[in-house]
Amino acid sequence: MRLGILVRWLVGLVALGAVTAPGQAQSFNEGAFDPSIPTLTATVGHAPAARITSPDQANAYLKALAAAAPDRARLVQYAVSWEGRPLHYLVLTAPENMARLDAIREDMATIAAGRPGNGTALPVTWLAYGVHGNEISSTDAALMTAYHLLAAQDDERAVKIMANTIVVLDPMQNPDGRARFVNNFLASTGIAPAADRQAAEHDEPWPSGRVNHYMFDLNRDWFTLSQPETRGKVAAIRRWNPVVVVDLHEMGGDESYFFSPAAQPFNPNLSAAQVRAYELIGRYNAAAFDARGEPYFTREVYDLFYPGYGDTWNAHQGAIGSTYEQASARGLVFARRDGTELTYADGVRNHFTTSLATAAAVADNPARFLSDFTAYRSGNATGAAGRASYVIDLGKRRWNAERLGRRLAEQGITVLRRDGAASVCGKSYPAGYLAVPQAQPAARLVRSLLDRDTPLPPDFLAEQERRRSVDLPHELYDVTAWSVGPMAGVDVALCNGAVGGDALAPDAPIAPKPEGSGTFAIAVPWTDSGQARLVTLALREGIDGSVTDKAFSAGGRSFPRGTVVFPAGSNTLEMMVRLTELAQDIGAQTVAMDSGWVDSGPNLGSEHFVRLTLPRVAVAWDDGISQLSAGALRYVLEQRIGLPVTPIRTSRLVRADLSEYDVLLVPEGDPSSVLGDAGQRAIRSFVQRGGVLVAIGDSLETFSSGDNPLLAVKREAALGRDPADSGEDKASLAEAIEIASDAEYRELIKDQQALPDTLPGALLNVVPDPDHFLSAGYDDGAVVLATGSQIFTPLDRAKGINVLRFAAPGNLIASGYVWEENRRQLAYKPYLMAQPQGRGLVIGFAHDPSTRAYLEGLDLMIANAVLVAPSRVR
């Protein structure tokens, strides 16, 4: 059997032209090829699609191509991954274009700025591959596309592509994930590839190669810019201003191939000209696939609504941004459910085909693509998408507001900064403001990110409600809300009047805000993420401080609860100087105090102040845990707050010495499947001895079930459904019933045990219990992201505290779309819960506050649970 699979795999490669001798031409298309252009075989030792090319091999081949054809290829490193791997893009064009490449790029930059070009520009086609590291075929397709464009000698299409356009290939957007996949694959393979989907080579261990080092889905990071791979890529794309951007992916192995036009819904900020261009490019891809008899689909599954994808973010910049999806072999050969086999070579060839077809669409219509891009950017600049401005108050969560402004600027958005007291549109801003005009070239991206809500098309919503009414799943692919102001915890107002200020540079340091005078102590008000980072780094350097759970005033100033005071009396002069240096580096606010006397509230010696110590933090890691949740939580704690985290595998928790830790984090997932009774007993013992357990999302079920749960809440069934287990019916006959209508029939066949319908994702308002330390920094409430179907009963006051609960039904939704029954059921239910257990504390988040690291406004909430709670428990 295995021999038969090996023979069929090799025959398939030969049929594709993928197995050739070193030095021979290696393209999926026939023709004459320049022998001076090195082949993959000659460079790394295997033919295209014969093996899965590793990151090191891919980089070696890119360098060989660039060295062999410097008049037509330029290799540029644009980033370095967390694990130290380089990321490159390869610029390809005809020699006459390469000779004036900088002038072409500069003219494209002028056009992108909304100004008339000088006629030098050529349209840029950007083809990006492998953003998910285990979607493996696209990187090899990129290498073959580069080879073909450089080596083909009698392909008129390739000549036209090189003459009429600039092609930029980004062959490997996630080298860390790809390396992880390749290493696991090689460790699992034997003498022949296994087609069985159950084989280890198709079954990745945790974490999968899809994610990068911090286990982020890099295709959701485009406007968050949390990862170095994304930041480098966005800077590179802004440098070239492509008119077409394609992100080439893989999907399930039983599928075929997807290319644009995309499915509904489209983001309303896309233009009509863009919609028409998707159709044009789709027809080029269809013709190429039809010529080979290759199946494909369009207008299904993959939409253009959420602006955090590679396709939609670039579409908001004026490009024709698309996702292409190829069925994945997740190895060299894969047995489909229909009895056929999919080879790695099939995937490489199909991505190679659409890469060339897409580039050809631009090369055949260069004036159209350039004209559409010019009209998009210049129209935005002159107010086609609006003439108002978004004003961000620097007086609330100042550090988060400053960070948001720089993150917007990093995406090519004009942000103005007005320092000092000012008034605009009838509102006073004593600390100054940031202003983001709508009338600018990136206006549609501005609107999508800063509008409070981006509406779904009414006809699409009506169809989703119809589907739900007949028990079909909805078709929303991702979240319905992403307004970056509320997610950062800052105030954003729309102003139709004139605003002023200086342009904010993305790399401008955040200025510190030292206030007060005196040498008794330095207070750090608990107001934003920068303050949490300062406190954490100070504790890491051994600087002694205490935190209050009640507000106080001193010297004519008010200090909110959560404020940390670092007394000079318990620190050396050098430590106090170091604290000031840390504040300078971070851009944090500090207040020098001249006395321990307060005008109101607790003094430093009060029981309301407790001494902070740096907690030792562990996170449950591996099977039973969501890799996305674990990665985001670790990233927020380590990279934003500055607190080291130790991963412990879930299977080891049963025998781990948890006394070495103060906090155990259990991210989203189903940890009970790995922990078992023994693991849960070990965690219970940890808490009762004084530890802090922080459980998130679905993981709460593990600790809220059984006769003696650590957290006395229960997950709710859907409204109107019976949560009780009905047990077995012992009777041989069922009770006779009459069904009088279609509505009665629908009700009868509903799953009585059903959970609430899944929320794709919406931003919701939560209300604090103002007397609990875990809500410090949130006296006015917060905006959180709710996804999924988990809704929990409130904690009984005798058991614990509902620290933050969802708002009343009429004030629940901050942004996005929520099913009506979910809106009614979520109201007043807990978001953040705390229950004492023995000498310890159990903290539960109903939804993940660290999701995608884009809820920066919830950083203080995480810090309260992880940094402050252990000292409070002690």
Side-chain angles (χ1 to χ4, degrees):
M1 178 64 179
R2 292 294 295 275
L3 181 59
I5 291 173
L6 177 60
V7 170
R8 288 195 299 276
W9 173 63
L10 290 172
V11 168
L13 290 179
V14 172
L16 290 170
V19 178
T20 58
Q24 293 181 346
Q26 292 187 159
S27 174
F28 287 111
N29 293 349
E30 295 182 356
F33 295 89
D34 184 350
S36 69
I37 303 301
T39 63
L40 186 67
T41 304
T43 306
V44 305
H46 66 256
R51 292 184 182 178
I52 303 168
T53 304
S54 72
D56 287 345
Q57 291 170 333
N59 285 329
Y61 188 52
L62 291 170
K63 291 176 182 177
L65 290 175
D71 61 330
R72 289 166 288 159
R74 180 182 295 179
L75 186 64
V76 179
Q77 180 176 321
Y78 69 81
V80 177
S81 74
W82 287 112
E83 296 175 11
R85 294 183 176 90
L87 287 84
H88 298 96
Y89 62 79
L90 184 69
V91 183
L92 300 170
T93 194
E96 60 272 21
N97 298 332
M98 187 63 74
R100 58 189 186 96
L101 190 63
D102 290 341
I104 293 171
R105 181 183 56 75
E106 288 168 5
D107 199 34
M108 281 301 302
T110 299
I111 293 170
R115 302 191 300 271
N118 60 20
T120 305
L122 288 176
V124 177
T125 302
W126 188 286
L127 304 175
Y129 307 80
V131 70
H132 299 137
N134 61 358
E135 297 178 2
I136 45 180
S137 61
S138 65
T139 292
D140 273 299
L143 303 181
M144 290 306 94
T145 301
Y147 171 81
H148 186 88
L149 290 176
L150 290 172
Q153 293 180 317
D154 57 359
D155 183 347
E156 293 182 3
R157 179 178 61 170
V159 171
K160 194 172 188 179
I161 290 170
M162 296 287 274
N164 290 0
T165 70
I166 309 295
V167 175
V168 183
L169 304 180
D170 182 356
M172 192 166 44
Q173 301 175 76
N174 182 3
D176 292 351
R178 185 176 183 87
R180 189 181 309 120
F181 178 89
V182 171
N183 290 339
N184 290 327
F185 176 79
L186 293 176
S188 304
T189 52
I191 62 172
D196 185 356
R197 66 181 67 211
Q198 302 174 96
E201 61 198 68
H202 298 293
D203 186 12
E204 294 178 78
W206 193 103
S208 73
R210 177 182 178 88
V211 293
N212 75 340
H213 172 80
Y214 264 104
M215 300 192 294
F216 271 65
D217 183 333
L218 293 176
N219 196 36
R220 271 77 173 169
D221 193 49
W222 281 79
F223 68 74
T224 308
L225 298 175
S226 68
Q227 304 300 296
E229 299 94 334
T230 312
R231 292 193 296 272
K233 176 170 53 184
V234 164
I237 285 178
R238 284 189 53 222
R239 180 174 173 81
W240 285 96
N241 297 293
V243 301
V244 168
V245 177
V246 177
D247 207 3
L248 291 95
H249 290 252
E250 287 185 344
M251 55 186 165
D254 295 303
E255 308 298 330
S256 59
Y257 197 100
F258 168 83
F259 50 75
S260 56
Q264 289 292 333
F266 279 29
N267 191 293
N269 290 298
L270 302 186
S271 71
Q274 288 175 301
V275 174
R276 291 191 295 270
Y278 284 114
E279 183 86 14
L280 172 66
I281 295 174
R283 290 183 179 277
Y284 270 75
N285 286 321
F289 269 48
D290 289 347
R292 290 182 24 232
E294 190 71 28
Y296 56 88
F297 66 97
T298 63
R299 301 184 180 89
E300 297 179 43
V301 183
Y302 303 102
D303 63 37
L304 276 173
F305 190 63
Y306 173 60
Y309 298 135
D311 53 6
T312 323
W313 185 89
N314 282 287
H316 279 78
Q317 296 279 23
I320 310 306
S322 296
T323 290
Y324 295 172
E325 297 272 355
Q326 160 65 38
S328 178
R330 283 295 191 275
L332 293 175
V333 62
F334 181 80
R336 298 185 195 240
R337 298 192 191 280
D338 65 3
T340 62
E341 287 181 352
L342 173 71
T343 68
Y344 183 56
D346 293 332
V348 175
R349 179 187 60 181
N350 286 345
H351 273 328
F352 168 81
T353 298
T354 54
S355 295
L356 289 181
T358 300
V362 181
D364 286 347
N365 303 275
R368 171 178 175 171
F369 281 97
L370 205 54
S371 174
D372 283 356
F373 183 77
T374 300
Y376 181 98
R377 301 289 291 192
S378 62
N380 287 345
T382 54
R387 297 179 180 276
S389 295
Y390 303 91
V391 181
I392 302 171
D393 189 355
L394 289 176
K396 180 181 178 182
R397 301 214 191 283
R398 179 189 65 92
W399 197 83
N400 296 66
E402 295 276 20
R403 281 253 305 177
L404 175 59
R406 286 153 178 79
R407 195 158 63 247
L408 294 172
E410 198 170 351
Q411 297 171 67
I413 293 171
T414 298
V415 180
L416 304 176
R417 187 179 189 282
R418 173 66 183 267
D419 203 8
S423 294
V424 290
C425 287
K427 184 176 179 180
S428 177
Y429 295 91
Y433 62 78
L434 302 177
V436 185
Q438 289 179 338
Q440 59 172 296
R444 295 174 190 266
L445 180 61
V446 169
R447 294 212 53 175
S448 199
L449 296 183
L450 286 169
D451 277 353
R452 187 74 178 191
D453 199 48
T454 299
L456 286 157
D459 57 342
F460 176 82
L461 272 182
E463 171 61 12
Q464 303 319 300
E465 294 292 2
R466 183 200 69 80
R467 291 177 61 86
R468 296 175 66 241
S469 72
V470 294
D471 305 321
L472 292 174
H474 65 75
E475 297 169 309
L476 286 159
Y477 194 78
D478 209 286
V479 298
T480 65
W482 52 81
S483 184
V484 294
M487 291 200 303
V490 303
D491 283 342
V492 180
L494 191 62
C495 173
N496 288 306
V499 296
D502 299 322
L504 180 65
D507 57 352
I510 298 175
K513 193 176 180 183
E515 297 177 339
S517 60
T519 58
F520 173 78
I522 292 177
V524 179
W526 200 242
T527 52
D528 57 42
S529 302
Q531 306 300 91
R533 182 171 179 82
L534 174 58
V535 169
T536 304
L537 297 188
L539 294 177
R540 287 178 64 182
E541 299 214 14
I543 305 173
D544 185 67
S546 295
V547 61
T548 178
D549 63 356
K550 285 192 175 297
F552 68 95
S553 62
R557 298 173 183 271
S558 296
F559 296 86
R561 58 198 181 96
T563 294
V564 180
V565 177
F566 294 92
S570 58
N571 291 290
T572 66
L573 177 60
E574 290 76 15
M575 287 178 173
M576 299 302 285
V577 169
R578 180 59 182 150
L579 179 63
T580 302
E581 292 173 347
L582 289 172
Q584 177 81 26
D585 293 341
I586 295 167
Q589 178 191 12
T590 55
V591 181
M593 302 176 65
D594 61 4
S595 170
W597 180 259
V598 298
D599 301 319
S600 65
N603 294 96
L604 188 58
S606 164
E607 64 179 8
H608 292 289
F609 274 91
V610 296
R611 182 173 178 268
L612 272 181
T613 56
L614 187 72
R616 300 161 298 174
V617 182
V619 60
W621 204 251
D622 214 327
D623 292 339
I625 298 295
S626 161
Q627 59 186 19
L628 296 176
S629 179
L633 187 58
R634 187 184 187 186
Y635 170 85
V636 169
L637 284 167
E638 290 193 340
Q639 296 297 326
R640 215 148 64 206
I641 296 176
L643 185 62
V645 176
T646 301
I648 299 179
R649 299 194 187 280
T650 44
S651 59
R652 187 178 178 83
L653 282 171
V654 66
R655 63 186 189 279
D657 182 5
L658 294 179
S659 67
E660 295 292 320
Y661 297 94
D662 303 298
V663 181
L664 174 62
L665 308 171
V666 183
E668 294 231 44
D670 180 18
S672 63
S673 62
V674 180
L675 290 173
D677 292 340
Q680 293 188 53
R681 283 196 300 271
I683 293 174
R684 176 181 292 275
S685 175
F686 162 75
V687 176
Q688 291 181 334
R689 293 196 313 267
V692 175
L693 170 66
V694 180
I696 293 173
D698 288 339
S699 290
L700 282 179
E701 287 195 79
T702 296
F703 306 106
S704 61
S705 58
D707 295 333
N708 186 24
L710 282 172
L711 194 63
V713 298
K714 291 185 178 297
R715 189 170 182 179
E716 295 186 356
L719 277 179
R721 303 278 71 83
D722 183 4
D725 185 1
S726 59
E728 284 191 23
D729 185 359
K730 303 298 183 182
S732 58
L733 296 175
E735 179 184 355
I737 59 172
E738 176 185 0
I739 304 175
S741 67
D742 183 74
E744 287 185 13
Y745 168 71
R746 290 286 171 198
E747 181 63 25
L748 187 67
I749 65 174
K750 278 184 177 178
D751 180 2
Q752 293 300 315
Q753 305 297 318
L755 295 170
D757 203 353
T758 300
L759 278 182
L763 296 176
L764 306 182
N765 294 310
V766 293
V767 178
D769 180 323
D771 296 320
H772 200 279
F773 75 89
L774 286 174
S775 66
Y778 297 96
D779 288 349
D780 297 327
V783 173
V784 304
L785 178 73
T787 61
S789 60
Q790 64 268 28
I791 301 175
F792 294 93
T793 59
L795 264 175
D796 187 314
R797 205 50 180 173
K799 301 279 186 158
I801 301 294
N802 302 294
V803 180
L804 285 145
R805 62 162 176 83
F806 288 106
N811 191 42
L812 179 67
I813 301 172
S815 179
Y817 190 78
V818 178
W819 315 123
E820 173 59 20
E821 67 273 21
N822 291 56
R823 183 184 69 86
R824 290 186 285 117
Q825 188 175 356
L826 272 165
Y828 296 103
K829 300 298 167 56
Y831 173 79
L832 174 60
M833 301 149 269
Q835 180 172 339
Q837 284 284 354
R839 300 200 308 272
L841 184 67
V842 179
I843 298 171
F845 287 88
H847 301 269
D848 193 343
S850 66
T851 299
R852 298 177 182 172
Y854 61 9
L855 298 163
E856 199 165 282
L858 303 185
D859 285 359
L860 286 181
M861 206 178 292
I862 296 172
N864 288 337
V866 181
L867 183 68
V868 178
S871 295
R872 283 285 165 199
V873 168
R874 184 185 65 246

